Amino acid sequence: MRADKRKVVLVGTGMVGMSYAYSLLNQNACDELVLIDVNKQRAEGEAMDLNHGLAFSSSNMKIYAGEYRDCKDADIVVICAGVAQKPGETRLDLLKRNAAVFQSIVEPVSASGFNGIFLVATNPVDIMTRITCELSGFNPRRVLGSGTALDTARLRYLLGEYLEVDPRNVHAYVIGEHGDSEFVPWSQAMVATKPILELCGDGGHSAPVCHDKLDEIETEVREAAYKIIEAKKATYYGIGMALTRITKAILGDEHSVLTVSAMLRGDYGQRDVFIGVPCIINQNGIQKVLTLSLTDEEKEKLGQSCDTLRESYEGIL
Ligand code: NAD
């Protein structure tokens, strides 16, 4: 990775892709951004629009609509291409439609000589990440999905509000499928180093209310995407910022812990599945999957989520 020129190629310049691009620009997160879309005119228009904002930004990013050959020297290829979730449609319903789209993307990216890191946002993201890994033949540590990064951010925000604590001091994760079987391992949720379950008996929060409220927050996080889609047809700002955070962790070689979709290779007793778990992210992609000390019940929930994803993946073979 070259410290002097951080190059990102974005495939899919729809709402999610462009929210990501806009966030990259505003956070000055890379030096060169290439936009690719099956609708080339759209990619060109988006590049023009972003370039016209450069004079107002603190960035001198080079932004242009490009071709798959531009992936050759990229650090990261981010895939946001696909079909958006329709109201009432589950993420897994999208699978077959998006699998065909990915074949037409991953093959030319790999053929360009690309030797960086794939980052996937398209839903169902855990399965699309696995498909990207299979199609590219890359080491799984260099293929990651946005996983439950956004869900975890939603959880930390809601817990921060409820507990009246800065969300940056809330250490809690949503793990599992980015979808209906995701869950919060509450045994591992902390405010600073204090377990949140222990806080339930403390101060202003009476025990039963606290536990009910935690369940409520977990449900709200799980159903957030459905609610937003119902209200405004799609979700994009939050995921755009989550992708920017992951990009910065990679390009900055940060060794940050983020809940991305990673291949499990014996971690949590699971294998042959990409799923959202806390991982240490650096310039090589996933440096390490962190294995949390889950309770037996939480391990079972994670196992069920893995089974759901394996079944869906096998459904398209
Ligand atoms: P969108 O319809 O606005 O954009 C999709 C873009 O993909 C379009 O510009 C389209 O032309 C392009 N595209 C389609 N086929 C292509 C191909 N073969 N090659 C190149 N480009 C192609 O959709 P959106 O709202 O931006 O959503 C994109 C994806 O992101 C969806 O799958 C959605 O479910 C997902 N998403 C994921 C998360 C997450 O947390 N991971 C959150 C929100 C949305």
Side-chain angles (χ1 to χ4, degrees), residues 252-274:
D253 195 23
E254 286 183 11
H255 294 75
S256 294
V257 176
L258 294 162
T259 43
V260 295
S261 188
M263 185 191 249
L264 299 188
R265 300 190 288 193
D267 321 87
Y268 297 97
Q270 301 286 340
R271 48 182 70 249
D272 294 330
V273 69
F274 275 77

Side-chain angles (χ1 to χ4, degrees), residues 160-227:
E161 288 272 294
Y162 174 55
L163 299 168
E164 295 175 354
V165 174
D166 184 337
R168 289 172 300 183
N169 298 118
V170 175
H171 303 286
Y173 301 105
V174 177
I175 65 170
E177 170 201 8
H178 173 61
D180 298 338
S181 66
E182 70 183 30
F183 69 100
V184 180
W186 288 110
S187 73
Q188 301 300 304
M190 313 280 164
V191 167
T193 58
K194 174 96 172 163
I196 286 179
L197 289 179
E198 281 180 25
L199 277 179
C200 282
D202 270 10
H205 306 289
S206 68
V209 172
C210 184
H211 282 285
D212 286 355
K213 184 67 189 173
L214 296 186
D215 287 347
E216 219 174 273
I217 287 174
E218 184 171 355
T219 306
E220 190 172 339
V221 167
R222 192 181 301 117
E223 294 176 354
Y226 291 113
K227 270 200 186 157

Side-chain angles (χ1 to χ4, degrees), residues 79-125:
I79 310 181
C80 301
V83 215
Q85 204 170 5
K86 294 178 187 158
E89 189 181 43
T90 68
R91 292 190 179 92
L92 293 179
D93 288 336
L94 288 171
L95 177 56
K96 292 208 168 158
R97 291 198 283 148
N98 280 330
V101 168
F102 267 47
Q103 190 132 18
S104 73
I105 294 170
V106 178
E107 283 176 4
V109 171
S110 305
S112 74
F114 172 61
N115 192 29
I117 290 160
F118 276 107
L119 172 57
V120 179
T122 307
N123 276 321
V125 68

